[in-house]
Amino acid sequence: MTVDESVLQNWFNELPLEKYQELVSSNDPETVEKCPPNRIVGSPSSQLSVSCGPVLRLLATLENNSNNYRGTILLVTSVNDERITQSNSDEPPQINYVIGPRLNNDEIDLSDNVSNGEFEVVKIYEEDGQIFWRFKIELGLKNYEQKVKYSINGEFNENFQFYIPSIDQSMNTMSFSCNGFSLATETKDFKGSLWLDVLRQHSKLPYHVMLGGGDQVYADSIKLECEPFKNWLEDKHSSSSSHYTEEIAKTYGKYYLNLYLRWFGKGYWQGKAGKTIQSNFPNALAQIPSINIWDDHDIIDGFGSYKDRTMRQEMFKGVGNSAFKYYMLFQHHTPLDEDVSSEPHWVIGEKGPYINRNSLSSYCRLGKSISFIGFDCRTERTKHKVNSKRTYEILLNRMQNEVTNSKGDIKHFYVMLGVPIAYPRLVWVEAIMSSKFLAPLKYLAQKGYIAKGLVNEFDGSIELLDDLNDHWCAVALELQF
């Protein structure tokens, strides 16, 4: 494939920060009415209706003493968009790429150091007219930093690019968490400057990776949008509305599918007190590869931290298992039926008590001298433990082995935890909130007679207690630490 001259002419162009600023201004939360439509991407003869993506994911670098770089790209396309011809809608899309030096200098000639290729694609999943395509990124590190520009069905744009470090370079990283809104948030108070600022910084010194520390999406709205779950909560978990069926499981799945398509695909979110479109979040996903772990809001507020009798109810376990499926699809580009044991990126722990899956922590070498490991602190989570002793051993052994095998190259280890390890001891507050003397007050609040927001609707505990329990120094966890 010959490199398009227009691509080379614009190779060193800066990111369109003015356009990103205009997106913030035009999507003022006070004027948002509904979720934007799918984007039409591709050349006129091969158009796609893109529901979500491209979303970049980093898997590995410098494996087995090689100079490799591995990752994936997720693209979700719709077969139900009347704006494109149905004959093209289910054909595998193409992502072609051009790779060359990032910096414009006399030492590295652009025309002599540019190559191109195509990322291999596979269809990994399909549901409700949405097709999930995963593209395999396999590149090589060089002695200089590189830029990769890619096209989807022949279309290049400013967002379709990312950067990879040189052989001797450690990655420029950013981390984020709690990327969403609580249900009662008044969105008009948040104008969307966070992801604009990320892209602004990215334009000055490119980020090679962004590390998601959990709550990349806020799924608490399942209480409003999923009718069977909403009814179950309103009936105070009564047996008449707690029979978990395949049809109910489908409604859970539809909720999480649409939640991700809206938030990861368009940056759209709706709560009790407003709507918002954070368009620069999807723009960032298209040009900064990510590595994510998950936390409770990726499922529902406090999942895993409530009383065991609450967590073991099938209606509640179903929420966790459904959330896991779409977390894996959208955040890790991995379907549930895929054998994860063959992917060295994963550190596989023990099976969870409420989510019927093994915990999956993430390991990645972030360039020459930095390694990263993100603990899965939610899949095995109970009120009294975060991970099993065996899982801790697996994680620590993996860290030790990676440091040893690097022969001294790894100087720093980033450890990302979904449960805070540094947190003020608030034992007296926890003790008061858990006291049996508050039982009458909690009962009245649960029935809605007084202070309705005082207790949560899951196990009747004080609403803030799940957050206080959610750290390693909590009373509920201290014997397990």
Side-chain angles (χ1 to χ4, degrees):
M1 184 183 75
T2 304
V3 178
D4 192 317
E5 282 298 321
S6 64
V7 174
L8 294 183
Q9 289 171 6
N10 300 319
W11 190 260
F12 298 109
N13 282 8
E14 296 182 356
L15 291 176
L17 295 180
E18 290 185 3
K19 183 183 292 186
Y20 297 151
Q21 177 65 66
E22 288 173 6
L23 285 173
V24 173
S25 302
S26 62
N27 292 327
D28 188 300
E30 295 185 80
T31 63
V32 171
E33 294 185 359
K34 60 183 179 179
C35 184
N38 286 358
R39 289 180 298 115
I40 303 300
V41 173
S43 62
S45 61
S46 58
Q47 291 186 328
L48 297 166
S49 174
V50 176
S51 309
C52 181
V55 178
L56 303 181
R57 174 186 178 222
L58 176 62
L59 283 171
T61 66
L62 302 171
E63 293 177 296
N64 304 316
N65 298 314
S66 71
N67 293 328
N68 76 319
Y69 177 101
R70 289 196 303 119
T72 56
I73 302 175
L74 175 71
L75 199 66
V76 184
T77 61
S78 173
V79 299
N80 299 324
D81 196 321
E82 297 178 353
R83 296 173 295 172
I84 59 173
T85 60
Q86 294 300 304
S87 59
N88 293 332
S89 60
D90 58 353
E91 293 180 4
Q94 282 187 310
I95 295 187
N96 296 305
Y97 69 90
V98 181
I99 183 170
R102 177 180 84 86
L103 294 175
N104 186 8
N105 59 48
D106 297 331
E107 297 178 13
I108 305 171
D109 182 76
L110 178 61
S111 59
D112 292 337
N113 289 278
V114 169
S115 59
N116 51 43
E118 182 178 339
F119 293 131
E120 179 184 328
V121 63
V122 60
K123 177 181 174 180
I124 60 171
Y125 186 69
E126 183 174 359
E127 179 183 342
D128 199 24
Q130 306 296 328
I131 304 179
F132 289 69
W133 307 98
R134 182 176 67 199
F135 298 81
K136 183 191 297 184
I137 301 174
E138 291 189 335
L139 301 170
L141 304 181
K142 295 185 178 294
N143 59 3
Y144 54 85
E145 189 178 9
Q146 297 175 90
K147 172 191 275 192
V148 181
K149 285 192 171 187
Y150 60 94
S151 64
I152 299 176
N153 280 14
E155 179 186 317
F156 280 97
N157 73 44
E158 308 98 323
N159 298 315
F160 296 170
Q161 60 180 356
F162 61 98
Y163 299 89
I164 66 176
S166 70
I167 294 170
D168 295 318
Q169 185 180 9
S170 291
M171 292 191 182
N172 185 29
T173 67
M174 60 153 284
S175 62
F176 68 103
S177 64
C178 301
N179 181 45
F181 302 91
S182 298
L183 272 180
T185 301
E186 295 193 14
T187 55
K188 63 181 176 59
D189 297 330
F190 299 89
K191 303 298 185 181
S193 60
L194 187 151
W195 288 103
L196 174 61
D197 187 57
V198 167
L199 292 171
R200 202 178 272 133
Q201 298 302 319
H202 182 57
S203 69
K204 297 175 184 176
L205 182 63
Y207 291 118
H208 300 111
V209 64
M210 55 183 180
L211 309 174
D215 301 339
Q216 279 73 246
V217 63
Y218 268 54
D220 305 329
S221 58
I222 190 172
K223 295 184 292 186
L224 303 178
E225 297 183 26
C226 184
E227 202 67 27
F229 188 66
K230 179 182 178 182
N231 292 339
W232 179 69
L233 290 176
E234 291 176 348
D235 290 347
K236 310 301 180 188
H237 315 169
S238 73
S239 58
S240 62
S241 60
S242 63
H243 183 53
Y244 188 66
T245 64
E246 185 176 335
E247 286 303 310
I248 289 176
K250 287 180 180 178
T251 66
Y252 285 11
K254 186 174 183 179
Y255 165 77
Y256 284 104
L257 174 65
N258 289 324
L259 176 75
Y260 273 103
L261 292 178
R262 294 192 303 253
W263 184 238
F264 272 49
K266 288 95 175 175
Y268 176 84
W269 180 88
Q270 180 176 352
K272 293 179 178 179
K275 307 169 186 177
T276 185
I277 298 176
Q278 306 284 323
S279 300
N280 286 319
F281 174 49
N283 287 337
L285 292 174
Q287 52 192 294
I288 309 174
S290 58
I291 308 173
N292 297 329
I293 61 174
W294 70 333
D295 206 19
D296 59 336
H297 289 286
D298 296 285
I299 311 169
I300 193 173
D301 186 24
F303 189 93
S305 302
Y306 300 116
K307 296 172 183 175
D308 185 68
R309 67 173 180 267
T310 299
M311 294 302 312
R312 289 198 179 276
Q313 295 182 66
E314 292 301 319
M315 290 288 287
F316 210 37
K317 287 167 65 177
V319 169
N321 283 286
S322 187
F324 184 90
K325 172 184 175 179
Y326 295 93
Y327 160 70
M328 290 296 292
L329 277 170
F330 282 92
Q331 300 197 41
H332 295 291
H333 313 173
T334 303
L336 287 186
D337 59 359
E338 187 165 291
D339 181 10
V340 294
S341 65
S342 61
E343 172 50 65
H345 172 82
W346 294 118
V347 187
I348 304 173
E350 294 199 319
K351 187 170 287 188
Y354 315 126
I355 295 172
N356 192 33
R357 295 283 169 173
N358 292 78
S359 65
L360 292 173
S361 300
S362 298
Y363 171 82
C364 186
R365 184 90 170 264
L366 304 184
K368 178 78 180 266
S369 64
I370 300 174
S371 273
F372 166 85
I373 194 162
F375 282 33
D376 179 347
C377 294
R378 194 51 59 175
T379 305
E380 297 180 47
R381 181 78 162 92
T382 72
K383 185 175 180 179
H384 300 291
K385 74 175 176 67
V386 178
N387 292 102
S388 69
K389 183 178 179 181
R390 176 59 185 149
T391 296
Y392 286 130
E393 291 173 350
I394 293 169
L395 287 161
L396 295 174
N397 286 339
R398 176 64 180 269
M399 295 169 70
Q400 182 63 59
N401 291 338
E402 293 292 344
V403 172
T404 301
N405 294 336
S406 78
K407 298 178 180 179
D409 281 345
I410 295 177
K411 309 294 184 185
H412 309 279
F413 223 118
Y414 292 169
V415 179
M416 181 168 275
L417 306 169
V419 176
I421 198 168
Y423 201 97
R425 293 298 301 266
L426 296 172
V427 173
W428 64 275
V429 178
E430 296 170 58
I432 291 172
M433 289 186 177
S434 304
S435 171
K436 62 182 180 181
F437 296 109
L438 285 183
L441 187 63
K442 290 191 288 185
Y443 175 80
L444 292 172
Q446 195 171 15
K447 291 296 183 180
Y449 299 136
I450 62 167
K452 189 175 180 180
L454 180 67
V455 297
N456 69 66
E457 61 264 70
F458 305 121
D459 65 0
S461 297
I462 300 294
E463 174 63 31
L464 292 176
L465 191 57
D466 68 293
D467 293 312
L468 292 174
N469 282 338
D470 212 17
H471 64 96
W472 263 292
C473 294
V475 172
L477 289 173
E478 64 181 349
L479 295 179
Q480 303 292 326
F481 179 60

